[in-house]
Structure formats: C-alpha cells, structure tokens
Amino acid sequence: MSSDTETDARPTPEKIDRVVIRFAGDSGDGMQLAGTQFTASSAMFGNDLATLPNFPSEIRAPAGTIAGVSSFQVHIADWDILTPGDHPDCLIAMNPAALKANLHDLKPGALIIVNVDAFNERNLAKAGYESNPLEDDSLRAYHVLTAPMEELTKKALVGTGVKGRAVLRSKNFFALGLMSWMYSRPLKPVEQWITKKFGEDNPVAAANLAALHAGYNYGITAEGFHHTFEVEPAALPKGEYTNISGNIATAWGLIAGARAANLPLFLGSYPITPATSILEELAKQKHFGVKTFQAEDEIAGVGSAVGAAFAGNLAATTTSGPGLALKSETISLAFTLELPLIVIDVQRAGPSTGMPTKVEQSDLLFAMYGRHGEAPLPVVSIASPADAFSATMEAVRIATKYMTPVILLSDGYIANSSEPWKLPDVADLPTFPVTFTTEPNHGDEFLPYTRDPETLARPWAIPGTPGLEHRVGGLEKHDGTGNVAYEPDNHQLMTELRAAKIDAIRKDIPPIKVHGDADSKILVLGWGSTFSAIRAGVLNARRNGRSVAHAQIRHLNPLPPDLGDVLEGREVILIPELNNGQFARMIRAEYLIAPRSFAKIQGEPFKADEIEEQLNEICREINS
Amino acid sequence: MNIDVKQYTRADFQSNQEVRWCPGCGDYTILASVQTFLAELGIDREKHVFISGIGCSSRFPYYMNTYGMHSIHGRAPAIASGVAAANPDLTVWVITGDGDALSIGGNHLIHALRRNINLKILLFNNQIYGLTKGQYSPTSEQGKRTKTSPMGSIDYPFNPVSLALGAEATFVARTLDMDRKHTAEILAAAAEHRGTAFIEFYQNCNVFNDKAFIELTSRETRDDNRVYLDHGKPILFGPDNEFGIRIGPTGAEIVEVSKVGIDSIQVHNAKDPEPGVAFALSRLSRGPHGPTPLGIFRDVERPVYEDLLVGQIEEAQAQKGTGDLADLLRSTGTWTTN
C-alpha cells in the first residue's frame, strides 16, 4: 500500500501556524519512538520544531500506573520557535494513566485522542480513576476522540507473521499513523525508517508498516477525524538543516573538536543517565578513529582519559552529577598536570540519585568549586541542542590552547530534546591545530613546566618523543622543571600561576550578545538550557509592550570580560535557573550586586509563560 | 621489540632526582633491577611510560629517566590503560603497592587484568602501609598488630597471585626484591608477554614490617621455602630437591619425592589455558610462611585489548571509509530551505 493514494481522500486541512502535541503512554508503549518519528517527518517537511521527552527512570515501572507513564512532546511551527511549548494542544493517551498524568498540562479545549481499548476497569483502577473519564463527562472541557487502537492493530497485523502478545507492540505505529493523518504529515519518512531499522524481510517491519497504515486509514474513514490540520514549512533562514538532539550534537562536537585540534579522539566513560548516549554515539563513529573506552567506573573513565591525554589524544569523559563527584579527585590531578581534558557533565536532578531522568542545573557550583586544593577550571555551558556542537568545540579550543581540563555543562533537557540545526559549512569551522613539543626548550633540556608567555600554557610533549622524557605527578611541581618541590614560595608561585592561566582565558571570550531592549532597566541573565524559555518569554513580554533585555552566558568561568558592563545600571537583573540560585550567588559574589533569583527545582524546564509572568510582575513592581 | 637494538646502560634510565626511600628499603633493589633490565631490553627509552599510584613504591617513576606519571592512589591501572589504549606503541609499566593496588585500587586492578590490556604491573607487596607509617594493609596477616590494629588485625588478607589468577590475568608471576637474577628473568618474560603482565614482588619494608619475608630470604630457611616454578619442569624444592608439589584432589600438596616417586610430581605448565592448577599452587603458602612458589604461575595468550580496539577502528574504516565530518552531520537526514 502506497501512502500517496490516500492523500486523495484528504479533506482540506485547517492551516495552523503551530501545534504542541504530546504522545503519552506506558513506558513500554513506544511513545518515545512514535514522538521521535513524528518529529523526524515534521523536520523533513520543513517545520521548525522543539521536543521534550519525559520518561520514568525505571525501565518498566509497573504497567498502567502513573509512575510508568512516558511522554514525548513536540512543538512544530511554520515560524521560528524556541521551546517545546508550555501546554499541549493535543494529547495522545494510550491508557488511563497517561491521560491522568498529563491532563493538567493541556490547554483548555485541547484535542485528546485516546486508545479506548486500554480504558478497562483494571487500567482505570491502576490509574486511580473511580469512574471512566470517557463516560463521566469529566472531560467536557476538551475535544475527545477515541480509537480502538489495540483491536485495529490486531486486525491489521493478520498475515504479517507477527503473532500473540508481540502484536500489540505495533500499536504505537497505529497512533503515529493516526497522528500523521490528523496533522497532514507524510508517511514516507516513517516508512523508510521502518524498513531501514528492521530490514525489508523482517515480519516486524511488515507489522509496523501495517499498523502505521491502519492508523492513517482509520483517520480517513472514522467519524470525527475529518477535521485535520496542517502546519506549513517554517521560513527558517536559508540553509540545510538537520534535526539534532543535544547529546548527539555534543558527540559530534567532540569529533569536530578533535579534527580542529588535529588530534585523535579518546572517550573514557561509564554509562550514566542522561549522559550515556554520547558514549553510544561515539562508539558508533569508530571510522573517525575514535577510541571509546567503557571503563569499570566513573573514576576509571576519567582516569583513562587523563592517561590518553598524557599520551597525546584529545581526551574526554562524559558523566552526570554523581559521576562528576566521583571524578573530582582525578580532575584535580589533570588540573595540576596541566593536561587538556574535556569533562562533560549532563546534569540531572540531584542530590545523589535524585531524579535521574529529569533536568536540573544544580551542578554549577560543583563544576566551579568541586575540587580539593586551589583548582579553578574553565566552565563552558551549552544553551540548546543546536548550540551543543559549537559549545563543545569551544571547550576543546580552550582545553588545548591553555592545557587545562574544561568542564562542559549540559543537562538532561538538552541531552534528549531536539530542534532544527542549520548545518555549518565544515570548511568554515574553526581550526586550532595542536603542536606537540618535540625539541628541548631549555638548552639541551626539556622543562615541562615552562610557560607560553601569552597563554601561560605549558608545553605538551608526549611519550614516544626522543629526548623529552619527563615525569609529571600529583605532587607539587617546581616551576619550570616540574620536579617534586616543597619550597613554600614555589607552592605559592605555582598556585598563582595556575590560577592566572585560567583567569587569562577571560581575554579570549567573545563579547556578550544582548538581545531585546539592550538598555532596558530589566535584564534577564541566563546560562545553559534556560535559553529557549527565557528567549521565548522575553519575546512574548516585549510583544506585549514590556522593555526587557536578555543575555545568555556561555562562559561561566572565567566570566566574559564585558559582563560587568552588561550588568551595570540595571534596576532588576532576573536570573532564572533550574537550581536554588547558584548562578545568582556567583554573580552576587563576583560583582557585589543583588540579582533577583528565579529558582525552579521541579525536574522540568522553565515554561516561557513562567518567565513572562515573572517579567510582568517585575514591571508591575517597578511601575507601582 | 626493536630490530635495531639501542645500546643503553643502567645510567641512561636513572633520572637526576635523588632517590628518597628509607635506607635499606627493598624498593632500591627493585629500582636497580628494573633500570638494569631496561638497559638490556633495548626498547627505545622514550617508548617506556611508568605510571604509579600513591605510596612508597609509587615514587618510582620520579627516579626513572623515562616518561612517567605519579598519579592518584589506586588509579594507576586506569590511567595506564588510557595511555596504552591511546598509543599501543608504548611500553606501559604500572608501579603499585599492596594498599594502592589491592585496597583503594582493587577495582581498577581486576579490570585491567580482565581486559588484558598491554600493561606490565609491578606490585610491591610489603604487607604494610609504609608511607602513612605503619597501618595494616589488605595483605597483612590476621592478628598483625599495627597502629590501627592494636589488638591485632581482624581483616582477612588477599593473596595477590590468587586474586590475579581469579581475574584470569594472562601473565602472573611472583619474585623477591632481593633476588635480582630471578627478578630479571621474570621481567624479561613479562616484557615478552603481550597483554597484562602481573608481577608480585615480595618487598621488605625494613622500617614498618621488617622481616615479613624472612622465611624466604634468610640463609637458614630459604632453600626450604623457595619453590621455583619453571615451565615444563617438575616442581621440586628443598636443599637437595627432596620435596615436590603434587596436585591432589584437594589442591596442591607438599610431598617427599622419595616416597611418591618423581612421576607423581606436578610438571609445571604455565601455558595451561585453565588457571585452576596455577590457582592451586598459589594457595600453597599464606603470609608467606613455609614453602612458597616463586616464578611464573601463568603465561597464556589471549587477544590484547588494544589490538581489538584498533582492529575495530580499522574494520570500520574498511567498511565505511575514513570518517567525513560533513557526511556525519547529514547522517540522520536533512532538509533545505530557500
């Protein structure tokens, strides 16, 4: 069955400029996959988009319960959007728990499409419903459409070779087919993906294709589904785009950074949510010469990376909060060895195991100060999935130019969400090739702790280089020779030199771009993944006549040299953060000013509305 | 091994740093043995990398005129694994002690052994924490009185050779700090071995745990207690080789050759693919007290981690060509706007 013929039956869809859709079901229902594929076909169609996956940390929480609900939200638009949307216009609920868990987020009047087969007594009870919401009029504020997704999937799969309980695994494709009909998405990208993923002759491919078409055709034939929608391609700046998630962009940024530095890439890592997919992605890219070392623990992950850095590779390690804590001692070693090392912390809600699949920015102060001894490090943050590539390259540039570990802060929201990314021309990417030292630098001697007068970086001479044999270590080093030294003055000198080297990076940071009303009395100052919500909230506030400026800070240590000027003269500096005010504390300490902290610690990103509401409140206060 | 062997002397491997172990420490002898051995080995000096953890023995790299890193307590095998994986052309040595390797770094040790990454791990076992001045270690015998065990240690000790065999290390040996000839033989075999080589040195700490190995070192008792393992030869010991080792139903046992006959004596097979007999031999003595095997317990071949790592990269490049960044960025599909 070809998907082309079906478009003939299509009624004229209603043109809408944007829609927020949430696929929700049990964590075993394949909602992440359905959402991702819906996103992929929207991307191919040319919409702007942003996504927000949300899943329980348990692989399979008890089926049918609220705890087991997994969802995937996608915002598609025909214009340049920033966030995955605050409130869904449409919810696909595969069972009662999915309905119950997500109902409160919906817009009034939102469309709800339910898998009616799952609304039986048992599932209703598991979700905590006393009566069936499809029958008790409690959903009267919404537009509810039902489809017997399980029954129709079973029927559609007859003859595909897939039988028994496995049949119901295809019901997410039924839902995807139905949604593709409702929102005028092409089926072809999904069909191609299924064939590629499962193989043409695999009965599972046939089953998923059958379910996909059954869902689409149900839309054509069933009553109620004839009011369809269409979101036209977005007028994004001219160029070639791909739909990118943050962890993939980070992995690619490491490959590009290693290429720019002209070094082989080594990743020493240990699986941890939500960082693991960086390791997985790099493990797939061996033809780039990438070496991935899945270590026995977090400490060995960073330890192997330090060894690889000593041996002359671009070394990286990926982790999340608890892992960063375990790596702390080794990062201090790398700091005092003065070797380049990229430490990527994909932050999650803590402390301890916390909420591993939920977003938080609460490792900021740990990244800044979480080391023993005097050990300042550059800290770079990623603002969005599409920003991850260049932010990662920037971390590599700093690490190799200044011979230092760099902490790159990402988070669970950036890691798993996606957005269109305008592909850079590879020829235009920055290059910063590393030159290893191969000759003695002091008469016929090699002194490993001499310094470049400008950057204060020490030379990088790697094992295998004749005549430059030298020892490095965790003991204090003598200035120049690097020999073990306990002299009081030398320790002070070395401590100050190491700090001065990091501080000197300040001169190497581009000017801050202030967005919006640059001279406004109100500045929203953000860092990391709050970018999209802040920018959208500020845009909305300005559309509503407010005067607001926004600056998003990428370099958190050292801070940009012009930040003092940007902060100067503001009446209110609002710092929204997904933590309890850590960046606000840093700004207060550094500039002796009193910013206004807007802390959200709920494991979820900011909504644009929340930022706008804060701005409205501030404006009311200022004007009253 | 280089075809064009360089001529080195021991002095070529001595750094300009003053060696600062306590006078009489067994570490001096091991340092001299290693330096002398490397000069004879002839591998280019710049290809040697010594990675150590923390502890008395871990100062070792500072005294070697090679590349080296004095790293973090327990972490040397992890760091060295990164060095070896990043550049398989290097000869990577790990210098560690009983506390470093078996207590804080136990995890890294067993995983390095399991992976069979190309490291030469020299474990200086003095059965005490020396650098922190005399606390019991994971190899101290039960009942040992130290500053942290005034009523005697209640910790059951590790037998390092048993541990390494249990982790299926491909090369496991034991030698004595003061026996330089034997040390040289073991080092040569370890250098020859591809994969992880694990050598336990019984190393005397004359300050905090003097004479821990006296039964193996004193003139009066050493011939009774040193049981040398030589591949392909019956395991005999005693002043006149009058004793031997037999593998019985419950493990290795000491027998008198005259009573059981030479044919009952175990012929040592370091190449045995299964580590069971080697493990049985490692159980012979505890402490060590009484007859104690020295030499190469096990020396078998298994694919080396770096070879597999590089092999996969070459295979991927043969299939997909050398990675192209522009292609990678387009690998999940793109669309174009005008």
Side-chain angles (χ1 to χ4, degrees):
Chain A
M1 188 191 308
S2 152
S3 52
D4 298 332
T5 53
E6 294 145 17
T7 48
D8 299 338
R10 169 169 294 285
T12 310
E14 181 190 345
K15 303 262 185 202
I16 49 176
D17 67 342
R18 54 173 285 252
V19 65
V20 178
I21 299 168
R22 188 180 289 178
F23 293 81
D26 209 53
S27 57
D29 282 345
M31 290 298 96
Q32 301 298 325
L33 181 59
T36 309
Q37 288 308 311
F38 188 85
T39 304
S41 51
S42 298
M44 291 305 150
F45 190 66
N47 296 125
D48 195 13
L49 57 90
T51 67
L52 175 65
N54 190 350
F55 31 82
S57 60
E58 296 83 6
I59 298 301
R60 292 282 164 90
T65 63
I66 299 275
V69 173
S70 164
S71 71
F72 187 99
Q73 182 168 317
V74 56
H75 185 180
I76 56 175
D78 67 1
W79 47 281
D80 184 8
I81 49 155
L82 293 153
T83 76
D86 294 352
H87 302 288
D89 304 286
C90 174
L91 172 72
I92 299 88
M94 298 300 283
N95 66 8
L99 176 67
K100 193 167 194 191
N102 292 290
L103 193 63
H104 64 278
D105 280 343
L106 301 186
K107 268 190 196 144
L111 174 63
I112 302 174
I113 299 174
V114 297
N115 168 27
V116 71
D117 290 337
F119 280 68
N120 53 36
E121 256 179 57
R122 200 157 155 261
N123 285 339
L124 288 165
K126 277 195 209 165
Y129 277 118
E130 281 169 11
S131 64
N132 188 342
L134 302 180
E135 293 163 0
D136 66 6
D137 210 27
S138 61
L139 300 176
R140 63 185 170 279
Y142 306 94
H143 181 46
V144 180
L145 292 175
T146 60
M149 297 191 195
E150 294 176 12
E151 198 49 47
L152 294 174
T153 302
K154 278 184 201 164
K155 281 185 185 153
L157 264 59
V158 171
T160 60
V162 174
K163 291 188 184 114
R165 294 181 57 158
V167 167
L168 287 184
R169 290 203 196 114
S170 292
K171 68 175 180 283
N172 56 336
F173 282 96
F174 184 97
L176 178 58
L178 181 55
M179 292 309 291
S180 300
W181 160 259
M182 288 296 290
Y183 289 92
S184 316
R185 304 285 91 182
L187 287 185
K188 198 149 254 159
V190 185
E191 292 167 347
Q192 285 169 346
W193 181 86
I194 291 172
T195 313
K196 198 176 155 198
K197 170 87 180 173
F198 299 100
E200 211 143 336
D201 302 329
N202 187 339
V204 177
N208 288 338
L209 286 170
L212 179 76
H213 290 133
Y216 195 92
N217 292 343
Y218 184 74
I220 296 175
T221 52
E223 244 177 85
F225 289 91
H226 285 178
H227 186 130
T228 62
F229 304 91
E230 181 171 11
V231 182
E232 295 206 321
L236 295 171
K238 194 179 162 185
E240 190 181 8
Y241 287 80
T242 192
N243 179 38
I244 193 81
S245 73
N247 273 359
I248 302 302
T250 304
W252 292 358
L254 284 173
I255 290 174
R259 180 179 175 273
N262 198 24
L263 296 174
L265 176 60
F266 179 96
L267 178 72
S269 183
Y270 186 74
I272 183 171
T273 301
T276 312
S277 55
I278 302 174
L279 169 62
E280 290 171 347
E281 175 63 18
L282 287 175
K284 283 199 301 202
Q285 306 300 348
K286 290 191 165 61
H287 57 305
F288 283 87
V290 179
K291 288 178 178 167
T292 54
F293 182 82
Q294 183 175 311
E296 57 272 20
D297 59 26
E298 294 280 357
I299 299 171
V302 67
S304 63
V306 168
F310 186 58
N313 281 13
L314 175 70
T317 188
T318 48
T319 192
S320 188
L324 186 64
L326 283 164
K327 293 179 197 294
S328 171
E329 184 188 18
T330 309
I331 295 170
S332 289
L333 173 72
F335 167 78
T336 186
L337 295 180
E338 302 189 47
L339 285 171
L341 172 71
I342 311 298
V343 180
I344 300 171
D345 176 15
V346 186
Q347 300 166 95
R348 66 191 209 187
S352 189
T353 309
M355 302 194 288
T357 56
K358 309 296 178 191
V359 64
E360 207 161 88
Q361 296 181 298
S362 48
D363 293 342
L364 174 61
L365 292 182
F366 192 76
M368 287 292 297
Y369 307 118
R371 283 168 295 284
H372 61 281
E374 292 282 349
L377 282 186
V379 180
V380 175
S381 62
I382 299 175
S384 72
D387 181 53
F389 183 81
S390 69
T392 306
M393 284 192 78
E394 172 66 353
V396 176
R397 182 187 74 86
I398 292 174
T400 50
K401 180 171 176 183
Y402 295 92
M403 290 291 284
T404 178
V406 174
I407 296 187
L408 180 63
L409 288 177
S410 181
D411 64 37
Y413 173 39
I414 291 167
N416 293 315
S417 62
S418 66
E419 64 182 349
W421 174 40
K422 185 168 182 280
L423 293 179
D425 188 335
V426 166
D428 296 340
L429 290 174
T431 57
F432 32 84
V434 164
T435 313
F436 293 124
T437 300
T438 54
E439 300 295 331
N441 57 3
H442 183 79
D444 57 359
E445 272 185 286
F446 172 64
L447 303 185
Y449 282 83
T450 51
R451 288 177 193 281
D452 180 284
E454 192 207 334
T455 62
L456 298 180
R458 77 175 188 88
W460 194 3
I462 61 170
T465 314
L468 305 192
E469 292 87 351
H470 65 279
R471 277 64 56 196
V472 296
L475 289 168
E476 182 58 287
K477 289 148 285 287
H478 202 280
D479 183 30
T481 66
N483 289 330
V484 177
Y486 283 89
E487 290 89 341
D489 289 348
N490 179 73
H491 181 52
Q492 178 139 8
L493 173 70
M494 291 299 277
T495 303
E496 288 170 358
L497 275 172
R498 288 187 290 252
K501 180 180 82 169
I502 304 303
D503 201 51
I505 298 169
R506 197 184 298 273
K507 291 180 292 191
D508 204 5
I509 297 174
I512 297 169
K513 284 182 195 152
V514 180
H515 169 266
D517 308 293
D519 300 326
S520 171
K521 290 185 284 189
I522 304 168
L523 172 75
V524 187
L525 187 67
W527 69 276
S529 72
T530 55
F531 168 76
S532 59
I534 294 177
R535 181 57 55 89
V538 167
L539 277 171
N540 292 343
R542 293 180 65 231
R543 278 196 199 105
N544 292 328
R546 311 287 190 201
S547 165
V548 188
H550 170 212
Q552 196 76 4
I553 305 302
R554 171 185 271 189
H555 297 85
L556 301 172
N557 194 49
L559 287 163
D562 54 345
L563 181 55
D565 295 339
V566 169
L567 299 176
E568 181 88 28
R570 310 282 179 184
E571 208 158 312
V572 176
I573 295 162
L574 178 71
I575 303 187
E577 290 180 89
L578 301 174
N579 62 42
N580 212 0
Q582 298 189 14
F583 191 51
R585 179 180 288 260
M586 277 172 57
I587 294 297
R588 192 157 59 227
E590 187 83 7
Y591 297 97
L592 302 177
I593 58 170
R596 178 166 167 154
S597 173
F598 179 27
K600 180 172 181 180
I601 318 140
Q602 301 170 9
E604 288 175 356
F606 280 110
K607 293 180 163 70
D609 285 0
E610 293 168 335
I611 304 291
E612 191 185 356
E613 183 44 43
Q614 279 287 311
L615 292 170
N616 289 340
E617 201 177 306
I618 289 167
C619 289
R620 282 195 292 272
E621 285 173 26
I622 291 180
N623 297 329
S624 63
Chain B
M1 196 86 56
N2 279 25
I3 298 162
D4 177 26
V5 175
K6 287 215 175 134
Q7 294 300 309
Y8 288 116
T9 66
R10 184 186 160 199
D12 291 317
F13 287 91
Q14 292 171 313
S15 79
N16 60 3
Q17 297 297 291
E18 185 193 354
V19 184
R20 288 187 190 162
W21 288 306
C22 306
C25 176
D27 290 356
Y28 283 95
T29 326
I30 303 173
L31 178 65
S33 292
V34 171
Q35 288 168 335
T36 307
F37 167 71
L38 292 191
E40 287 165 6
L41 183 63
I43 291 179
D44 295 340
R45 188 175 60 180
E46 65 271 15
K47 298 232 167 106
H48 289 289
V49 184
F50 280 78
I51 309 285
S52 65
I54 296 292
C56 291
S57 58
S58 286
R59 298 296 174 98
F60 197 99
Y62 284 120
Y63 308 136
M64 295 295 300
N65 189 15
T66 62
Y67 286 92
M69 185 194 298
H70 176 243
S71 75
I72 302 178
H73 204 17
R75 314 303 169 206
I79 292 170
S81 294
V83 175
N87 185 353
D89 291 339
L90 301 171
T91 300
V92 185
W93 302 80
V94 171
I95 306 293
T96 184
D98 40 314
D100 194 55
L102 299 173
S103 197
I104 193 166
N107 198 32
H108 307 307
L109 177 71
I110 57 173
H111 288 280
L113 297 175
R114 162 177 80 82
R115 288 191 185 101
N116 201 32
I117 199 156
N118 215 352
L119 306 176
K120 315 300 165 203
I121 301 175
L122 314 188
L123 188 156
F124 299 9
N125 180 10
N126 56 16
Q127 303 186 340
I128 197 78
Y129 284 134
L131 195 67
T132 50
K133 300 185 180 170
Q135 300 79 28
Y136 65 94
S137 89
T139 55
S140 297
E141 65 276 19
Q142 265 185 327
K144 187 177 197 67
R145 289 175 191 272
T146 71
K147 290 174 187 168
T148 51
S149 56
M151 294 172 70
S153 166
I154 56 174
D155 273 31
Y156 185 78
F158 270 138
N159 174 330
V161 166
S162 296
L163 183 87
L165 289 167
E168 295 187 54
T170 53
F171 182 101
V172 181
R174 179 190 285 147
T175 188
L176 271 174
D177 55 2
M178 61 177 295
D179 189 347
R180 292 195 52 183
K181 183 168 160 290
H182 189 250
T183 296
E185 286 170 22
I186 299 294
L187 288 173
E192 198 69 36
H193 178 75
R194 288 209 18 92
T196 311
F198 175 86
I199 306 175
E200 179 191 20
F201 286 79
Y202 280 151
Q203 177 247 317
N204 192 44
C205 172
N206 57 319
V207 175
F208 295 106
N209 197 21
D210 197 20
K211 301 191 170 57
F213 308 105
I214 191 73
E215 291 175 41
L216 298 178
T217 53
S218 84
R219 260 177 220 290
E220 299 75 53
T221 56
R222 67 187 187 193
D223 288 344
D224 295 328
N225 291 323
R226 290 188 192 181
V227 181
Y228 284 108
L229 304 174
D230 289 309
H231 176 67
K233 292 186 181 161
I235 306 170
L236 300 170
F237 68 101
D240 301 308
N241 276 347
E242 64 272 41
F243 297 106
I245 306 296
R246 186 170 69 180
I247 302 297
T250 58
E253 55 196 26
I254 295 163
V255 290
E256 284 181 56
V257 179
S258 61
K259 286 189 180 161
V260 301
I262 188 75
D263 292 344
S264 311
I265 304 301
Q266 180 71 18
V267 174
H268 183 50
N269 180 13
K271 309 286 181 190
D272 188 343
E274 286 304 317
V277 173
F279 187 84
L281 291 171
S282 77
R283 308 310 296 160
L284 259 183
S285 80
R286 311 280 174 87
H289 303 292
T292 300
L294 299 167
I296 300 165
F297 288 75
R298 175 170 158 90
D299 182 3
V300 298
E301 281 183 30
R302 193 166 74 218
V304 176
Y305 184 88
E306 301 95 298
D307 294 350
L308 300 173
L309 182 68
V310 171
Q312 287 194 340
I313 289 172
E314 286 169 353
E315 188 187 334
Q317 290 177 334
Q319 281 171 9
K320 302 180 187 173
T322 309
D324 179 276
L325 185 59
D327 289 348
L328 176 67
L329 302 188
R330 287 161 180 79
S331 59
T332 55
T334 67
W335 70 96
T336 304
T337 60
N338 297 308

